[in-house]
Amino acid sequence: MNNYTPTEIKDLQAIKQRVMHNVLQEIERGPQKPTYRWRFFILSAILTVSSILFIVNQVFVVDKYATKVDLTEPVFYEEQGLFYLHGVTLGDSPAKVSETLGENYTTELFEDGNNANLILDFEGDARFYFVQGKLKSLILMGVDKKRFDDLFTRYNGTKFTNNDTRFIYSSETSHIIKAEYTPYGLYVYLMYAGPDFAEVQEFLKHQNNSNQ
């Protein structure tokens, strides 16, 4: 009698054991977090990253305009006969010029009396003339006279004056800087001095006569 257990009681015991097993598993797992919390965390992370990127972009924009190049105060140096004004030299591409000086310019496709097919105008302070994607010449307008006087005096290479117009010349590359007074102020040019550049030919002739 004691060894006999009805089938219904056996089933009840099995169900009880399963229930207890499930309860223990739930206790070990701990409380379940609703899925909406994960969505909230992901959304918060996206908003945080977006805010950081926006702030970084605003700082970059402010810095770009804060470090705007003053084209009226020429910065000049020479490397292997190449003349540089504000870090730009003849033969540079439009992308190199805008990378060096910024993007505060307007573009023109041609100009009367000039064979350039692209011109970059930096707010009336400078104009850059390109032929087939390479810088052929540039003009700095309204240049500070004292600044250029100091530049010209300190330069130890070939330089000369012709009718109050001053020149800095490289026989190695034919680069020439020309500074002349106009009704609008001091204009400084960087360009090539070809065989038909009269002032250079006159200077070289005078120099050769002096050496004889």
Side-chain angles (χ1 to χ4, degrees), residues 200-211:
V200 171
Q201 298 305 317
E202 182 179 345
F203 166 76
L204 294 176
K205 182 180 178 179
H206 176 75
Q207 190 177 50
N208 291 333
N209 293 336
S210 299
N211 295 333

Side-chain angles (χ1 to χ4, degrees), residues 168-182:
I168 298 175
Y169 175 64
S170 170
S171 58
E172 182 181 355
T173 61
S174 294
H175 282 201
I176 191 165
I177 289 178
K178 174 183 176 182
E180 67 176 355
Y181 292 99
T182 75

Side-chain angles (χ1 to χ4, degrees), residues 71 103-108 111 119-130 141:
L71 295 171
E103 299 181 356
N104 54 320
Y105 61 83
T106 56
T107 60
E108 300 176 23
E111 182 181 72
I119 302 167
L120 302 186
D121 187 318
F122 282 76
E123 299 182 329
D125 293 328
R127 290 173 70 83
F128 296 77
Y129 298 85
F130 298 86
M141 295 171 280

Side-chain angles (χ1 to χ4, degrees), residues 91-108:
D92 282 349
S93 66
K96 174 65 184 300
V97 172
S98 64
E99 179 184 350
T100 304
L101 301 179
E103 299 181 356
N104 54 320
Y105 61 83
T106 56
T107 60
E108 300 176 23

Side-chain angles (χ1 to χ4, degrees), residues 10-179:
K10 288 182 180 181
D11 292 339
L12 184 61
Q13 289 176 343
I15 293 171
K16 181 180 178 180
Q17 288 177 353
R18 284 199 300 272
V19 170
M20 292 299 296
H21 178 71
N22 292 337
V23 170
L24 290 175
Q25 282 190 332
E26 291 297 322
I27 292 173
E28 289 175 356
R29 277 184 206 158
Q32 297 297 306
K33 296 181 179 180
T35 58
Y36 76 86
R37 290 187 179 180
W38 289 107
R39 295 175 183 172
F40 173 77
F41 291 146
I42 293 173
L43 182 59
S44 298
I46 292 173
L47 291 175
T48 301
V49 171
S50 299
S51 299
I52 292 173
L53 292 176
F54 175 77
I55 292 172
V56 169
N57 181 68
Q58 292 302 306
V59 171
F60 171 78
V61 169
V62 170
D63 285 345
K64 181 178 72 172
Y65 288 100
T67 57
K68 179 182 175 182
V69 177
D70 186 355
L71 295 171
T72 66
E73 297 190 356
V75 177
F76 167 75
Y77 64 91
E78 178 184 2
E79 286 186 358
Q80 299 179 345
L82 299 175
F83 291 165
Y84 289 80
L85 285 174
H86 295 293
V88 174
T89 190
L90 302 180
D92 282 349
S93 66
K96 174 65 184 300
V97 172
S98 64
E99 179 184 350
T100 304
L101 301 179
E103 299 181 356
N104 54 320
Y105 61 83
T106 56
T107 60
E108 300 176 23
L109 298 181
F110 65 91
E111 182 181 72
D112 291 341
N114 193 301
N115 62 350
N117 49 30
L118 175 64
I119 302 167
L120 302 186
D121 187 318
F122 282 76
E123 299 182 329
D125 293 328
R127 290 173 70 83
F128 296 77
Y129 298 85
F130 298 86
V131 176
Q132 296 181 349
K134 293 184 178 181
L135 182 64
K136 182 183 178 183
S137 63
L138 68 86
I139 308 173
L140 303 181
M141 295 171 280
V143 171
D144 183 90
K145 178 182 180 298
K146 185 178 183 303
R147 183 62 176 262
F148 186 82
D149 288 345
D150 293 340
L151 182 160
F152 189 81
T153 301
R154 287 186 285 104
Y155 183 67
N156 294 321
T158 302
K159 59 186 177 181
F160 59 95
T161 302
N162 188 315
N163 295 327
D164 295 329
T165 299
R166 287 172 288 180
F167 299 88
I168 298 175
Y169 175 64
S170 170
S171 58
E172 182 181 355
T173 61
S174 294
H175 282 201
I176 191 165
I177 289 178
K178 174 183 176 182

